[in-house]
Amino acid sequence: LPRTLGRQTLLVGGLVFAEGPTFDRQGNLYLPNYLRNGTIARMSPDGTLSMWASFEDSLPTGLKVDLEGRLVVADFDGRRLLRISTDGKRHEVLADSYEGKPLNGPNDLVLDRKGNIYFTDPKGSSVSKPIGAIYRFGTDGKLTRLLGGLAFPNGIAITPDQKSVFYVESSPSKVSAFDLAPDGRISNRRAVAQFLPHGPDGIAFDEYGRLWIAHYSSKSIDVVSQTGELLRSYTVDGALVS
């Protein structure tokens, strides 16, 4: 790992609530809450920036592109999981309730290589009120709650070998994981790392299986092994790193 992250370059300003940016296979960068909450902007590889989609009563946070090039969105304030067409003009609600009860408010998501969607649902949860959950929306259209009783589950990522899911609980500032069977069943739930007092937020694996963790309140990004060993810590610009 390099000792520093190198020169940091401002790509886009004007993001009201900057979370969960993502790329598609063509190199377009999708950015949530551009100029106002409820919007998604797209920056093309040549740097052209445009408003791509807009919703009312919405706060898109986690974004990922699926196998067909559609954008999947965790809508925190809309309390739903959305999927937007490749042109940004049409959308469908994949999930907004479970067993007859509304979702809390999804925050982040990840897709496995088969197209199943795993997302965190933290809104309103905390250490004193652990009502957060993690769900799986399968390619068969079935919504399954994998875990409940969580204190603000936030970032979520799948290991490159597709065998484990790692997730963050921001309130207790910890990273945990569970093993994932091909049919979606989970096992071997375990603690990985504790980061008090810094609240971890977004996470992602690199191609070497190392986990990169954005710390919301400490202006830093940490890199850890899958067993929780701290490999490197970087100080970055920005008051709140998500």
Side-chain angles (χ1 to χ4, degrees):
L1 281 167
R3 290 291 172 183
T4 69
L5 282 177
R7 182 171 179 267
Q8 296 170 53
T9 302
L10 177 65
L11 290 181
V12 182
L15 297 174
V16 179
F17 193 82
E19 280 231 342
T22 197
F23 286 95
D24 65 17
R25 292 182 179 182
Q26 288 72 45
N28 296 299
L29 175 61
Y30 296 86
L31 301 151
N33 307 306
Y34 178 59
L35 302 181
R36 69 171 179 83
N37 286 340
T39 63
I40 299 172
R42 185 172 71 176
M43 176 180 280
S44 63
D46 66 6
T48 302
L49 183 67
S50 60
M51 192 71 76
W52 186 74
S54 178
F55 302 93
E56 298 298 328
D57 301 319
S58 173
L59 184 70
T61 47
L63 309 177
K64 289 291 186 298
V65 177
D66 71 9
L67 297 173
E68 298 181 33
R70 301 167 298 187
L71 191 67
V72 184
V73 180
D75 184 356
F76 191 70
D77 281 356
R79 304 174 70 180
R80 57 191 178 175
L81 183 69
L82 297 175
R83 185 164 60 200
I84 306 174
S85 61
T86 56
D87 60 8
K89 296 179 179 179
R90 301 176 306 280
H91 74 276
E92 57 182 318
V93 177
L94 300 180
D96 58 8
S97 64
Y98 180 72
E99 293 185 345
K101 296 182 179 180
L103 297 177
N104 297 324
N107 179 274
D108 208 351
L109 59 95
V110 68
L111 281 74
D112 65 22
R113 290 177 184 161
K114 294 180 180 178
N116 301 296
I117 303 165
Y118 302 81
F119 66 95
T120 55
D121 187 38
K123 191 174 185 179
S125 63
S126 63
V127 172
S128 61
K129 189 180 179 183
I131 61 170
I134 294 176
Y135 292 92
R136 177 184 188 266
F137 183 82
T139 56
D140 59 0
K142 181 181 178 181
L143 183 67
T144 305
R145 183 160 57 196
L146 300 180
L147 289 176
L150 302 178
F152 212 92
N154 199 324
I156 187 167
I158 298 178
T159 53
D161 64 8
Q162 304 287 282
K163 292 183 178 180
S164 296
V165 173
F166 281 61
Y167 64 95
V168 160
E169 286 177 273
S170 293
S171 291
S173 298
K174 68 179 181 180
V175 179
S176 302
F178 53 80
D179 291 342
L180 184 65
D183 63 1
R185 289 180 297 171
I186 69 171
S187 62
N188 189 28
R189 183 180 174 189
R190 58 197 181 274
V192 174
Q194 187 81 48
F195 287 100
L196 292 174
H198 307 305
D201 195 323
I203 60 175
F205 280 102
D206 64 20
E207 63 269 39
Y208 302 105
R210 301 175 299 204
L211 187 66
W212 293 65
I213 305 168
H215 288 289
Y216 193 70
S217 59
S218 66
K219 298 185 179 181
S220 67
I221 295 175
D222 286 346
V223 187
V224 302
S225 71
Q226 292 182 31
T227 57
E229 177 190 2
L230 180 63
L231 304 175
R232 194 61 49 86
S233 185
Y234 300 103
T235 299
V236 298
D237 294 335
L240 300 169
V241 183
S242 63

Short mmCIF file of all heavy atoms in Angstrom, two decimals, residues 170-173 194-200 215 217-218:
data_model
loop_
_atom_site.label_atom_id
_atom_site.label_comp_id
_atom_site.label_asym_id
_atom_site.label_seq_id
_atom_site.Cartn_x
_atom_site.Cartn_y
_atom_site.Cartn_z
N SER A 170 -22.55 2.09 12.49
CA SER A 170 -21.90 3.38 12.76
C SER A 170 -22.01 3.80 14.22
O SER A 170 -21.08 4.40 14.76
CB SER A 170 -22.48 4.46 11.86
OG SER A 170 -22.15 4.23 10.52
N SER A 171 -23.13 3.53 14.87
CA SER A 171 -23.30 3.99 16.25
C SER A 171 -22.31 3.34 17.21
O SER A 171 -21.62 4.05 17.95
CB SER A 171 -24.74 3.74 16.71
OG SER A 171 -25.63 4.61 16.03
N PRO A 172 -22.16 2.01 17.20
CA PRO A 172 -21.12 1.42 18.05
C PRO A 172 -19.74 1.41 17.39
O PRO A 172 -18.79 0.88 17.96
CB PRO A 172 -21.63 -0.01 18.27
CG PRO A 172 -22.44 -0.31 17.07
CD PRO A 172 -23.07 1.00 16.65
N SER A 173 -19.63 1.98 16.19
CA SER A 173 -18.35 2.14 15.48
C SER A 173 -17.62 0.82 15.30
O SER A 173 -16.45 0.68 15.64
CB SER A 173 -17.45 3.13 16.24
OG SER A 173 -18.02 4.40 16.29
N GLN A 194 -13.09 -2.69 15.67
CA GLN A 194 -13.74 -1.64 16.46
C GLN A 194 -12.99 -0.34 16.25
O GLN A 194 -11.76 -0.32 16.26
CB GLN A 194 -13.73 -2.02 17.95
CG GLN A 194 -14.53 -1.09 18.84
CD GLN A 194 -16.02 -1.40 18.82
OE1 GLN A 194 -16.42 -2.55 18.95
NE2 GLN A 194 -16.84 -0.37 18.67
N PHE A 195 -13.72 0.77 16.05
CA PHE A 195 -13.08 2.03 15.70
C PHE A 195 -13.51 3.20 16.59
O PHE A 195 -13.54 4.33 16.13
CB PHE A 195 -13.37 2.38 14.24
CG PHE A 195 -12.63 1.53 13.26
CD1 PHE A 195 -13.27 0.47 12.64
CD2 PHE A 195 -11.31 1.78 12.97
CE1 PHE A 195 -12.59 -0.33 11.73
CE2 PHE A 195 -10.61 1.00 12.07
CZ PHE A 195 -11.25 -0.06 11.44
N LEU A 196 -13.84 2.95 17.84
CA LEU A 196 -14.21 4.04 18.73
C LEU A 196 -13.07 5.04 18.81
O LEU A 196 -11.91 4.63 18.90
CB LEU A 196 -14.56 3.50 20.11
CG LEU A 196 -15.84 2.65 20.20
CD1 LEU A 196 -15.97 2.05 21.60
CD2 LEU A 196 -17.06 3.49 19.88
N PRO A 197 -13.35 6.37 18.82
CA PRO A 197 -14.67 6.98 18.75
C PRO A 197 -15.09 7.35 17.33
O PRO A 197 -16.04 8.10 17.15
CB PRO A 197 -14.48 8.25 19.58
CG PRO A 197 -13.07 8.66 19.26
CD PRO A 197 -12.30 7.37 19.08
N HIS A 198 -14.36 6.89 16.32
CA HIS A 198 -14.61 7.31 14.95
C HIS A 198 -15.70 6.44 14.30
O HIS A 198 -15.57 5.22 14.25
CB HIS A 198 -13.33 7.24 14.13
CG HIS A 198 -12.18 7.97 14.75
ND1 HIS A 198 -12.26 9.29 15.09
CD2 HIS A 198 -10.94 7.56 15.11
CE1 HIS A 198 -11.11 9.68 15.62
NE2 HIS A 198 -10.30 8.65 15.66
N GLY A 199 -16.74 7.08 13.77
CA GLY A 199 -17.85 6.35 13.18
C GLY A 199 -17.56 5.92 11.76
O GLY A 199 -17.49 6.75 10.86
N PRO A 200 -17.39 4.62 11.50
CA PRO A 200 -17.21 4.16 10.12
C PRO A 200 -18.49 4.32 9.32
O PRO A 200 -19.59 4.23 9.87
CB PRO A 200 -16.81 2.70 10.29
CG PRO A 200 -17.39 2.29 11.61
CD PRO A 200 -17.36 3.52 12.47
N HIS A 215 -14.21 6.98 7.38
CA HIS A 215 -14.61 7.36 8.74
C HIS A 215 -15.25 8.74 8.72
O HIS A 215 -14.58 9.74 8.46
CB HIS A 215 -13.42 7.32 9.69
CG HIS A 215 -12.97 5.94 10.00
ND1 HIS A 215 -13.70 5.08 10.79
CD2 HIS A 215 -11.89 5.23 9.59
CE1 HIS A 215 -13.07 3.92 10.88
NE2 HIS A 215 -11.98 3.99 10.15
N SER A 217 -16.39 10.94 10.86
CA SER A 217 -16.07 12.05 11.75
C SER A 217 -14.59 12.29 11.97
O SER A 217 -14.21 13.21 12.70
CB SER A 217 -16.74 11.83 13.12
OG SER A 217 -16.29 10.61 13.69
N SER A 218 -13.71 11.51 11.35
CA SER A 218 -12.29 11.64 11.66
C SER A 218 -11.43 12.04 10.47
O SER A 218 -10.21 12.00 10.56
CB SER A 218 -11.76 10.31 12.23
OG SER A 218 -11.80 9.30 11.24
#
